Amino acid sequence: MPQWLTAANARGFASPPQMLPALLDAARGRTDLRPSALEFAGSRALWLARLNPDWRFALRSTPGGGAALPHIEDDDGVRQLWQEGLFAERVALLSALRSRDPAAARDLLATTWATERAEDRLMFLDSLRTGLSPDDEPFLEQALADRSRNVRATAAELLSALPGSALAARMAVRAEACVAIDHTQATQAAGGTEPSGATVATPTIAVEAPHECDPAMERDGVVAKAPAGRGERSWWFGQLVEAAPLGTWSRRLGGRTPREIVALPVTDDWQGELHAAWCRAAVRQRDAEWSRALLGEPSAPEAGGPGAVSLAERAKLLGTLDAAERAEWVAGFIATHGLSEAFQLLGVCAVPWAPPLGRAVVDALNIARDAGSYPWSFSGVMGLAERCLDPSEAGRLDALLAVPDEPENASPGAGGYWAEAFQRLVTTLRLRAAMAEELNTS
């Protein structure tokens, strides 16, 4: 249903009026349907929602509560709504204006910034994420002195996403003071021209975390109080590295590439903290080269990667890559590690899955089936495949519809379950193919 609605909206279709109650009931029960369902339903749905309390979610889900916004070029109407409108209307107005004219939205916000409530300033500031550019830096620098700690923290986060900002430069100086190459670390030679048993210096990253969080650091968004269970110095250190431009590290660490830097050993058990901070920085700064370095090769023996501390972090890094590269990487991961750890990674891949990824998923399911694996542990992936596999893959699955011979160590009834699951998958793929064909010919 989400795919049908997305396809119908892309073609400019609208719901027949008599279907609106059923459509609103469906969207009421499934929040994932609401954006596309309300777009398909149009303004009549908002009119109906005002008459039925069960459908009030439609008003809450629509910017400005369904109120009509003035045309962006209507300066008087925009100014009047900004000064007199309800909070939801003002948020909707600012978001709409920001997507069309970022500078005009920022200037509008500046006219009332000093008189806004702290919680409202935070929401308005968040709208600047859309179209964020160096032109926003002066406004955000002023927000670093805001009365609200949350506003200051958000302003600092936005500035650190601009690698050329003054805040990013200040953070780079602080972070550089904590990280350096140590050439004194020695390891025993394993071969080559060195005499047997000789030692050679191995470049190693040395870390000296800050000993205090001074007021200037706090002004630039560093949170002084560490969460329970975290050491203060490592907490401050992680925030500095996360906010420093990633270009800092090639200059600081001998002109090395991100991949070479990530491969360097780190002294005194600081590797996890340092790599995790680089992961957060790569995601914040949308740096694909650093993301590739931290992800490592998908076929690497360690499923956690050289830099990612968890699959959740790895999924975020994948989000900085384009759709084709993301799909190719996850396909390689599945080919090496199977599906047991891939579910979270599959969720960040574009739908329908690219052919290499679709083939990798089907091949891994087939391997699990032939091995007599416990079938119910793959039900989540099966459900995802029903929604995400390209419908053209249905023909490749016909050979998997028969009940397989069960190995001696297979789960009882596993063969029948696998055949039933593949049958359901094929049926769904063919339904999706028919659905797309019908919409294309409408």
Side-chain angles (χ1 to χ4, degrees):
M1 197 167 178
Q3 291 183 24
W4 189 94
L5 287 167
T6 298
N9 287 331
R11 290 160 177 78
F13 296 158
S15 172
Q18 65 270 22
M19 294 300 298
L20 288 174
L23 187 62
L24 286 168
D25 282 340
R28 179 192 178 199
R30 288 182 53 180
T31 56
D32 63 312
L33 287 180
R34 289 181 183 177
S36 55
L38 292 176
E39 180 183 350
F40 185 60
S43 57
R44 282 194 180 96
L46 300 178
W47 176 79
L48 280 174
R50 294 188 180 95
L51 305 176
N52 185 343
D54 290 343
W55 298 332
R56 290 294 171 87
F57 72 87
L59 301 177
R60 295 192 298 270
S61 302
T62 303
L69 297 177
H71 194 277
I72 298 303
E73 296 177 358
D74 178 5
D75 293 339
D76 292 338
V78 166
R79 192 177 304 107
Q80 182 177 359
L81 183 59
W82 179 248
Q83 294 174 350
E84 302 175 6
L86 300 174
F87 175 69
E89 294 172 334
R90 299 177 75 213
V91 170
L93 174 64
L94 191 64
S95 299
L97 186 57
R98 182 70 178 180
S99 64
R100 289 279 302 276
D101 188 342
R106 185 184 62 248
D107 292 344
L108 183 66
L109 177 57
T111 62
T112 59
W113 178 259
T115 59
E116 303 286 358
R117 299 183 306 166
E119 55 267 36
D120 293 352
R121 292 199 303 277
L122 183 61
M123 289 290 292
F124 293 145
L125 192 63
D126 201 59
S127 70
L128 299 189
R129 295 181 190 278
T130 301
L132 183 66
S133 75
D135 293 338
D136 298 316
E137 183 179 357
F139 181 86
L140 293 171
E141 273 285 343
Q142 291 181 350
L144 288 176
D146 196 87
R147 304 183 300 275
S148 165
R149 184 182 68 180
N150 290 333
V151 171
R152 295 196 302 270
T154 299
E157 180 191 345
L158 293 172
L159 283 167
S160 68
L162 297 171
S165 68
L167 177 137
R170 295 192 295 270
M171 288 301 206
V173 171
R174 296 175 180 126
E176 284 180 321
C178 299
V179 178
I181 287 289
D182 182 358
H183 291 283
T184 64
Q185 296 293 319
T187 59
Q188 186 168 338
T193 59
E194 293 83 2
S196 178
T199 58
V200 292
T202 301
T204 302
I205 296 178
V207 171
E208 179 66 26
H211 291 271
E212 65 172 341
C213 181
D214 58 42
M217 287 168 61
E218 288 195 66
R219 181 184 181 275
D220 283 345
V222 177
V223 178
K225 184 175 177 57
R230 287 288 302 274
E232 283 186 332
R233 295 182 65 200
S234 65
W235 171 245
W236 301 331
F237 171 73
Q239 292 179 80
L240 295 182
V241 173
E242 176 182 356
L246 287 163
T248 300
W249 303 112
S250 181
R251 298 191 302 272
R252 178 63 171 164
L253 303 176
R256 292 174 172 85
T257 66
R259 196 175 294 274
E260 291 169 338
I261 291 171
V262 169
L264 291 173
V266 184
T267 60
D268 300 328
D269 297 324
W270 280 103
Q271 178 167 308
E273 191 71 51
L274 178 59
H275 284 192
W278 278 337
C279 283
R280 297 191 297 273
V283 172
R284 181 182 295 186
Q285 296 172 36
R286 311 298 299 173
D287 193 305
E289 185 180 6
W290 268 91
S291 292
R292 294 185 193 102
L294 292 161
L295 282 164
E297 295 299 325
S299 57
E302 289 293 330
V309 295
S310 66
L311 284 172
E313 190 121 37
R314 183 164 267 200
K316 292 177 182 177
L317 290 170
L318 284 168
T320 67
L321 308 180
D322 65 46
E325 186 177 0
R326 199 181 317 162
E328 183 179 359
W329 196 96
V330 176
F333 181 92
I334 291 171
T336 301
H337 303 287
L339 290 168
S340 59
E341 297 187 45
F343 187 83
Q344 201 164 9
L345 305 180
L346 287 168
V348 300
C349 293
V351 178
W353 289 334
L357 178 57
R359 287 192 293 270
V361 171
V362 172
D363 290 345
L365 288 170
N366 192 20
I367 291 171
R369 165 185 176 268
D370 290 345
S373 299
Y374 192 67
W376 294 273
S377 61
F378 294 92
S379 59
V381 175
M382 275 290 193
L384 202 58
E386 288 186 48
R387 299 189 295 276
C388 301
L389 264 179
D390 192 306
S392 63
E393 295 289 322
R396 295 184 59 238
L397 298 170
D398 285 339
L400 305 178
L401 301 182
V403 178
D405 296 330
E406 295 184 3
E408 292 183 3
N409 60 345
S411 304
Y417 171 85
W418 281 110
E420 180 184 339
F422 279 120
Q423 180 64 64
R424 185 170 59 248
L425 175 57
V426 169
T427 300
T428 303
L429 292 178
R430 288 181 172 148
L431 171 65
R432 287 174 50 211
M435 177 184 81
E437 183 179 358
E438 180 179 286
L439 285 171
N440 284 333
T441 57
S442 297

